[in-house]
Amino acid sequence: MSKRNTQQRRHAIVAMLGEKGKVSVDELSSLFETSEVTIRKDLAELEKNGILLRRYGGAVPIPHEMVSENAVKVSDQKLAIAKMAASRIRDHNRIVVDSGSTTAALIPLLNQKRGLVVMTNSLNVAQAIKELENEPTLLMTGGTWDPHSEAFQGQVAEQALRAYDFDQLFIGADGIDVNRGTTTFNEIVGLSRVMSEVSREVVVLIESDKIGRKIPNLELPWDVITTVITDTNIDTITKQAIEKTGTEVICAPN
């Protein structure tokens, strides 16, 4: 069988799994004339989307009783925000991607970018980067695991970041205080500030329903934030108030 593009190949894998009840990496690699590494990435992505379960050397269908538990859909707003963010990343950019569900939604959209260097403090983001076929250079901050943010924090992580310089930081937020900047429930904000210090452009990805939340801990003040990407549900007055701080506001259409 001739080579197919990624989407076609993954559809074919799912169809084969439905017919045979199991598939192996060896047979899929031979059938699609591609590497075992690529097939494993296919299976990992399909597993992440709740379509199958990986087993040693291959995969099996996901049990029906697990489907509802594993199905996780990225909201239309988050996907639109992630798409807009991805459009701002050029080939060979050096970027930092912070932990969070909105920033994680950005990673699958990077598959067409070439020569990327990506640093993250998130295991989930790192795993998603490993599954990309374009194989960006992956850097991990290391550090102390923080269960609240589900990411690495602390002085070791900060030192790792300071060893580099980056084109862009993509970071989420628990909320936005129009008068102060991004806010968070987490009291540990040092790493976020170092991320902003080592990045020429700081891009905040946030759904509009989080803007205006009263959260006590200031994460990033407006003077370090370059751009806010949100959805089209943000009201005009709030958008204009943020823009008066000198921060660009982009509303991503669904």
Side-chain angles (χ1 to χ4, degrees):
M1 182 180 291
S2 61
K3 292 183 179 179
R4 298 170 179 242
N5 65 35
T6 301
Q7 186 176 15
Q8 289 174 323
R9 188 176 61 247
R10 290 175 181 174
H11 281 311
I13 290 172
V14 173
M16 286 181 60
L17 193 59
E19 294 173 3
K20 302 179 63 175
K22 64 179 181 179
V23 291
S24 73
V25 172
D26 288 343
E27 68 174 333
L28 293 175
S29 176
S30 175
L31 184 64
F32 295 112
E33 299 178 11
T34 191
S35 70
E36 292 186 2
V37 171
T38 296
I39 294 299
R40 290 192 183 96
K41 288 178 180 178
D42 289 337
L43 299 182
E45 182 66 19
L46 292 169
E47 182 180 55
K48 185 176 72 173
N49 292 331
I51 297 172
L52 53 75
L53 289 177
R54 284 184 292 172
R55 291 291 182 262
Y56 181 76
V60 297
I62 192 165
H64 292 298
E65 61 270 18
M66 293 178 61
V67 170
S68 61
E69 297 176 10
N70 286 301
V72 177
K73 184 180 183 299
V74 177
S75 71
D76 292 339
Q77 289 87 354
K78 283 185 180 180
L79 184 57
I81 291 167
K83 286 180 178 178
M84 182 61 69
S87 72
R88 299 172 69 89
I89 300 173
R90 297 180 179 180
D91 290 348
H92 306 290
N93 270 17
R94 299 162 62 90
I95 67 175
V96 184
V97 180
D98 192 21
S99 60
S101 58
T102 307
T103 50
L106 170 65
I107 302 305
L109 304 174
L110 302 182
N111 222 0
Q112 302 306 313
K113 311 291 182 178
R114 298 294 171 232
L116 293 182
V117 176
V118 186
M119 175 170 267
T120 185
N121 62 331
S122 165
L123 291 178
N124 289 336
V125 169
Q127 182 60 43
I129 292 169
K130 285 174 59 181
E131 293 169 3
L132 295 177
E133 289 191 7
N134 59 343
E135 299 182 345
T137 298
L138 171 62
L139 305 174
M140 289 290 295
T141 63
T144 302
W145 182 254
D146 173 40
H148 180 87
S149 62
E150 295 189 341
F152 292 104
Q153 305 283 349
Q155 291 185 358
V156 171
E158 292 172 15
Q159 290 170 3
L161 276 161
R162 287 195 173 103
Y164 300 88
D165 63 272
F166 297 92
D167 298 298
Q168 295 158 305
L169 162 64
F170 295 93
I171 188 169
D174 293 322
I176 281 184
D177 184 326
V178 174
N179 297 315
R180 297 191 298 159
T182 63
T183 55
T184 178
F185 292 110
N186 196 348
E187 295 182 355
I188 304 174
V189 297
L191 188 65
S192 298
R193 292 177 181 174
V194 173
M195 286 179 174
S196 70
E197 291 170 9
V198 300
S199 303
R200 284 185 282 277
E201 182 182 4
V202 176
V203 184
V204 175
L205 312 182
I206 188 167
E207 292 171 282
S208 62
D209 61 3
K210 292 183 178 180
I211 299 175
R213 280 186 175 182
K214 301 297 182 182
I215 300 173
N217 301 314
L218 177 66
E219 188 167 24
L220 296 179
W222 286 123
D223 61 357
V224 305
I225 299 171
T226 312
T227 304
V228 170
I229 301 179
T230 187
D231 55 70
T232 54
N233 293 325
I234 185 174
D235 66 84
T236 302
I237 294 175
T238 300
K239 180 176 182 292
Q240 291 174 345
I242 294 173
E243 289 173 332
K244 285 181 180 178
T245 70
T247 300
E248 178 185 24
V249 179
I250 298 175
C251 300
N254 290 349

